[in-house]
Amino acid sequence: MSGLLDLGVRDLLKAFSGKTVSPSDYMAAVCARVEASEPKVGALYDYRPEQAMAQAEEATQRWLKGEPDGALDGVPVTLKELIATKGDPVPMGTAATELVPADADAPTAARLKEDGAIIFAKTTCPDYGMLSSGLSTFHQLSRNPWDLSTNPGGSSAGAASAGAAGYGPLHIGTDIGGSVRLPAGWTGLFGFKPTQGRVPVYPYYPGRCVGPMTRTVDDSLMVMPVITRPDWRDATSVPFEALDYDVASANVKGMKIGLILDAGTGLKADPDVRDAVLAAARMFEEQGAEIIELGPLLTRENLDGLDTFWRARFWTQMQKLSEEARSKILPYILDWASAAAEIDGASVAAGFDHMLAMRQSCASALNGVDAILSPVNPIVSFPAEWASPTNDPALPFEHICFTMPWNMGDQPACSINCGFSKSGMPIGLQIVAPRFEDLTVLRLAKAFEDWRGPITNWPVIAS
């Protein structure tokens, strides 16, 4: 089973076509891994193995006839539960939500179904997707398969846990401040946040993106042509481009690549993180790139302004709930948001202006360089039961200072594993490029993955 689950999407589709592996074979292997690991990992919501096996058998028959129904026919995929699937409730990670079945597929779910992918489960997230943690009042606690006592990060927590635990090749998360890249970094996955609007998202919000979380760059490349197809519901989407995602590794000779090691505020990078990112930068330099050290992107005022604006927005939403529903929200989140009751309108407006200032900082940082490298997560790990790396609702965003600015600026960015800490935990390297240069990020990530070599020690969690 282990060997079968090591297949990437490209090789899996070749095996389906060559009739050496069937979608039923592969789905059965995924289900067996889930049954063995899930009691300890806690990655999934709405897992339906019987339905998945029935869909896999239908895909098997199509492949036997040489008539696949789309580019991903029979390939298992998970979706973060915030991404609606028709007929299924979207609890938003919190016990405060009334469970009403969604009346339509969100854009990503619709595109995947159109191309034959099997959405066999949703994945967990924290309350309202507002934590970088696997802690939720609705879902089970999601844990990091590399060390079950530690947190996978979030808010795409279950997607990260599922990917690291080997629950199939494709997992889709959402990212508004690092929610794809942060958990990808903590679990060794490749996580890609495209230019905002490249992947249609609904409901949309400034900075909110949908992106893949996979064990290899190539697996993400295989799903991007599917999920980037247009959807009229996203009023923030960019004009559709049929980009060629069959990319080769970048030749970095002569490229100017910035390096940011100090975010300017928030948590400082642990020594293990800093050393791993510096070693990655040296790889780029050895291949002919010019590495240019850059200053911080953020100020304390920027981060506090964003915190103020987001608190006010969420408190406005929470005031619409009944007192009983509000009491079910994770206390950390409720404490964080309720502080907005004392915030005046001028401070909220000033907070929004700080979000715009970050956008300008990102554009300025990329002026004169082809790409930027930085840490993804400043720290190596934190306890599974914590709501955030600080576990302090007064300081909720100290860990997102390397990732969140690029959501405000709309730039494409990824996390790719660049080594392990002394304690054996994965460390993520962030690669960023200017807006619309998604293929630059992907080519650079592919080049780095080639230099680094494959990860061969993925955790296997036994029952």
Side-chain angles (χ1 to χ4, degrees):
M1 182 180 73
S2 235
L4 191 54
L5 292 178
D6 289 336
L7 292 175
V9 175
R10 194 179 301 272
D11 287 339
L12 189 58
L13 291 169
K14 286 180 183 176
F16 290 170
S17 179
K19 301 178 178 59
T20 56
V21 175
S22 73
S24 294
D25 295 334
Y26 189 78
M27 193 72 245
V30 170
C31 290
R33 174 63 61 85
V34 170
E35 296 299 329
S37 306
E38 185 59 4
K40 295 180 180 178
V41 173
L44 303 184
Y45 161 66
D46 203 18
Y47 170 54
R48 288 180 279 193
E50 297 83 5
Q51 179 178 304
M53 287 303 303
Q55 290 178 289
E57 181 54 32
E58 292 170 1
T60 295
Q61 295 307 312
R62 290 191 292 271
W63 279 105
L64 287 173
K65 296 174 185 175
E67 299 174 352
D69 187 18
L72 295 174
D73 196 12
V75 178
V77 60
T78 70
L79 292 181
K80 187 176 181 177
E81 66 102 315
L82 296 178
I83 301 171
T85 46
K86 186 176 180 179
D88 302 319
V90 183
M92 300 178 67
T94 179
T97 300
E98 184 180 352
L99 297 180
V100 178
D103 59 7
D105 288 321
T108 299
R111 301 295 86 77
L112 288 165
K113 288 181 180 179
E114 287 166 3
D115 265 15
I118 300 172
I119 302 172
F120 71 95
K122 308 293 282 293
T123 50
T124 66
C125 70
D127 288 51
Y128 298 103
M130 277 306 300
L131 299 174
S132 192
S133 174
L135 183 64
S136 161
T137 56
F138 181 85
H139 299 298
Q140 59 193 321
L141 177 65
S142 297
R143 296 175 178 273
N144 191 331
W146 290 92
D147 179 346
L148 294 171
S149 72
T150 68
N151 210 295
S155 61
S156 303
S161 297
Y167 296 1
L170 295 177
H171 308 277
I172 310 295
T174 64
D175 188 316
I176 198 172
S179 289
V180 160
R181 288 158 292 155
L182 292 163
W186 273 312
T187 57
L189 300 178
F190 175 72
F192 181 50
K193 182 198 84 69
T195 296
Q196 187 182 0
R198 179 76 71 195
V199 177
V201 59
Y202 187 81
Y204 52 82
Y205 189 75
R208 185 170 189 248
C209 301
V210 167
M213 301 171 70
T214 59
R215 285 188 170 187
T216 67
V217 177
D218 193 61
D219 283 346
S220 286
L221 293 171
M222 294 295 289
V223 77
M224 284 298 292
V226 175
I227 62 176
T228 53
R229 292 203 303 268
D231 192 294
W232 69 269
R233 291 172 289 177
D234 185 355
T236 68
S237 61
V238 300
F240 173 70
E241 293 181 84
L243 299 178
D244 182 4
Y245 289 99
D246 191 17
V247 303
S249 299
N251 179 357
V252 303
K253 188 173 183 179
M255 290 185 73
K256 293 184 177 182
I257 297 179
L259 175 63
I260 297 176
L261 293 170
D262 180 359
T265 191
L267 297 172
K268 298 294 184 185
D270 285 349
D272 282 2
V273 172
R274 185 182 176 90
D275 290 348
V277 171
L278 279 170
R282 283 194 292 273
M283 286 189 184
F284 282 88
E285 195 169 41
E286 289 164 1
Q287 295 294 324
E290 179 185 356
I291 301 298
I292 302 168
E293 290 199 35
L294 302 177
L297 288 176
L298 281 181
T299 66
R300 184 75 241 176
E301 293 75 19
N302 293 154
L303 186 62
D304 290 345
L306 174 106
D307 185 5
T308 294
F309 185 81
W310 280 0
R311 282 180 200 249
R313 175 176 179 263
F314 267 82
W315 183 236
T316 299
Q317 293 177 333
M318 290 176 189
Q319 284 181 304
K320 298 174 185 177
L321 299 174
S322 68
E323 188 173 336
E324 180 185 2
R326 267 202 307 275
S327 70
K328 297 178 181 178
I329 297 170
L330 189 76
Y332 180 105
I333 290 288
L334 192 58
D335 289 349
W336 167 73
S338 62
E342 305 301 322
I343 297 173
D344 61 80
S347 297
V348 176
F352 183 78
D353 285 343
H354 277 290
M355 292 167 63
L356 296 179
M358 289 182 227
R359 186 179 185 89
Q360 187 61 46
S361 294
C362 290
S364 298
L366 282 160
N367 183 32
V369 298
D370 300 297
I372 289 175
L373 308 178
S374 81
V376 175
N377 305 297
I379 64 170
V380 166
S381 64
F382 63 103
E385 297 80 9
W386 282 18
S388 75
T390 63
N391 208 31
D392 181 355
L395 295 169
F397 300 134
E398 303 302 296
H399 59 289
I400 68 173
C401 298
F402 287 108
T403 55
M404 175 271 296
W406 309 112
N407 294 79
M408 301 301 102
D410 294 351
Q411 289 84 6
C414 77
S415 174
I416 186 166
N417 177 260
C418 65
F420 293 83
S421 68
K422 293 181 180 67
S423 58
M425 299 303 290
I427 295 170
L429 170 72
Q430 184 169 228
I431 304 174
V432 185
R435 289 177 73 207
F436 312 118
E437 292 293 328
D438 301 61
L439 295 184
T440 297
V441 171
L442 293 166
R443 290 188 182 108
L444 289 172
K446 204 165 192 302
F448 182 77
E449 186 179 55
D450 288 345
W451 309 332
R452 183 205 69 194
I455 295 175
T456 58
N457 60 329
W458 290 101
V460 176
I461 309 299
S463 56

